[in-house]
Amino acid sequence: MLIVSIAIAILFIFLGIAIKYLKWSWLIAGYNTAKAEYKKNIDADGLTLFMGNMLLLIAAAWIVNIPLYLLNIEIVGFFGIYGTIVLLIVIILLAQKYDNNPGKEKRKILSFVFAGVFASIMITISLFLYFSGKETKFLFINKSMVIKDIYGKTILIDTISSVHLKNSMPETTAKNNGFDMGNIKKGTFTVHGLGKILLFVHTKKGPYVYLKRKEGLIIINMKTPEKTKSIYKKIVSLMRKYEKSKE
């Protein structure tokens, strides 16, 4: 996500400067393909200034992602996404004022409809990304561990054959059914040397909890080593209590 944020920010900085200061109006979608007669009734100076400023604001939204990533804050990635969505809708609606051609009101209504549909689609996608990217919660109830997540499930303690804490994890080779964004990996993945397993991984840094079950392996990794170790200790404690109850 860090590299993505930097790359997107650089792209929009370039586009913003090119349109605002170099007057490269041909970069503006729709304007570059418009007929000469249509362009005569468009405030080109106002449009390039407006578009340049909006693109630089989009770049700023992605620049904010960089410190969020470095601070390991949960909303990393979404500030840039939400900022881009909001600013794109603003562009669709406000860019109309620079168009002085006949039929402007009809195009304005269509712009509102398009903006509404676009916003609905992007908000739905963003909500899915947000809730999928949230840190997984683990609840320990009686003789089970409940994984609270879109890809979560309930693990009965008597199905766990062993649990270990390791400092590394093999690379994933394929996503079978899950969520994969940046360092976050949740769901079923094919992992080198381990085959298809269930992952709830939030960072590339160890440690990792290796939970071996009859149904397959689960690897858990929280945002901080302390949280990961806490999950490990709770699983071990629950397993010991279960073994004692059998005596």
Side-chain angles (χ1 to χ4, degrees), residues 14-113:
F14 169 76
L15 292 174
I17 291 174
I19 292 174
K20 182 178 180 179
Y21 297 106
L22 301 179
K23 305 299 180 183
W24 290 3
S25 57
W26 53 271
L27 288 173
I28 302 174
Y31 181 82
N32 60 350
T33 57
K35 294 180 180 180
E37 293 180 4
Y38 192 90
K39 288 183 179 180
K40 286 180 182 179
N41 295 316
I42 293 178
D43 179 4
D45 291 336
L47 181 61
T48 52
L49 179 62
F50 170 73
M51 288 297 297
N53 287 334
M54 296 306 291
L55 293 175
L56 289 173
L57 283 174
I58 292 176
W62 286 96
I63 288 172
V64 172
N65 271 353
I66 298 171
L68 292 178
Y69 177 88
L70 296 175
L71 293 171
N72 202 27
I73 296 176
E74 190 172 276
I75 62 170
V76 62
F78 301 105
F79 193 94
I81 293 171
Y82 289 134
T84 301
I85 293 170
V86 171
L87 291 170
L88 285 176
I89 293 172
V90 171
I91 290 172
I92 292 169
L93 298 178
L94 298 188
Q96 298 297 317
K97 70 179 182 179
Y98 301 101
D99 180 6
N100 299 310
N101 285 282
K104 179 179 178 179
E105 290 304 315
K106 184 178 180 180
R107 289 193 298 275
K108 192 173 183 179
I109 293 171
L110 290 174
S111 294
F112 273 100
V113 173

Side-chain angles (χ1 to χ4, degrees), residues 151-195:
Y151 302 97
K153 62 192 308 180
T154 298
I155 308 296
L156 298 176
I157 293 302
D158 60 0
T159 64
I160 302 173
S161 56
S162 66
V163 59
H164 300 283
L165 202 61
K166 298 185 179 182
N167 291 322
S168 61
M169 186 191 87
E171 290 187 5
T172 56
T173 56
K175 178 179 71 175
N176 305 109
N177 178 31
F179 177 80
D180 185 359
M181 187 178 76
N183 295 331
I184 303 173
K185 290 178 173 58
K186 298 180 181 182
T188 305
F189 288 76
T190 300
V191 177
H192 182 70
L194 298 175

Side-chain angles (χ1 to χ4, degrees), residues 128-147:
F128 171 75
L129 291 173
Y130 174 73
F131 286 109
S132 296
K134 285 178 69 68
E135 190 171 32
T136 305
K137 292 183 179 180
F138 294 85
L139 301 178
F140 296 88
I141 304 171
N142 297 325
K143 298 178 181 180
S144 64
M145 178 179 73
V146 181
I147 303 175

